[in-house]
Amino acid sequence: DGVVSGTVGSPAGAPLTYLVRVLDDFSPGSRLAQMSQVHGNTVAYADPDHAPEADGLVCDQPGVALIVRVADCVPVLLADPAAAAAEQ
């Protein structure tokens, strides 16, 4: 009952509902930024109002949670702790 991707057998609308629940627990009040993955080498600026075609996201705005869905690829997370501390 915790599907967060569009898998076969998922009730209509369920993936988004579960994703919102995860976001509310993980980063309450944040806006979600995602992308339309294309299996290329494009990195785009994260925009909660638009899902760019890319395979990576970068963001410098507080209150924006990035989502990347992976299957057979290894996800990589890069963060700047100094920048994150400056926002607090």
Side-chain angles (χ1 to χ4, degrees):
D1 183 68
V3 179
V4 293
S5 66
T7 58
V8 175
S10 299
L16 182 57
T17 300
Y18 294 131
L19 187 56
V20 169
R21 287 183 192 170
V22 170
L23 183 61
D24 284 345
D25 285 342
F26 175 71
S27 187
S30 291
R31 296 179 64 204
L32 179 65
Q34 53 188 328
M35 63 190 158
S36 177
Q37 289 173 265
V38 293
H39 299 285
N41 61 2
T42 302
V43 176
Y45 188 78
D47 180 354
D49 298 319
H50 173 71
E53 287 191 354
D55 284 297
L57 292 173
V58 64
C59 184
D60 62 356
Q61 299 176 36
V64 176
L66 309 183
I67 183 169
V68 176
R69 293 179 173 95
V70 296
D72 59 348
C73 302
V74 178
V76 177
L77 174 65
L78 304 173
D80 182 349
E87 296 294 334
Q88 295 177 1

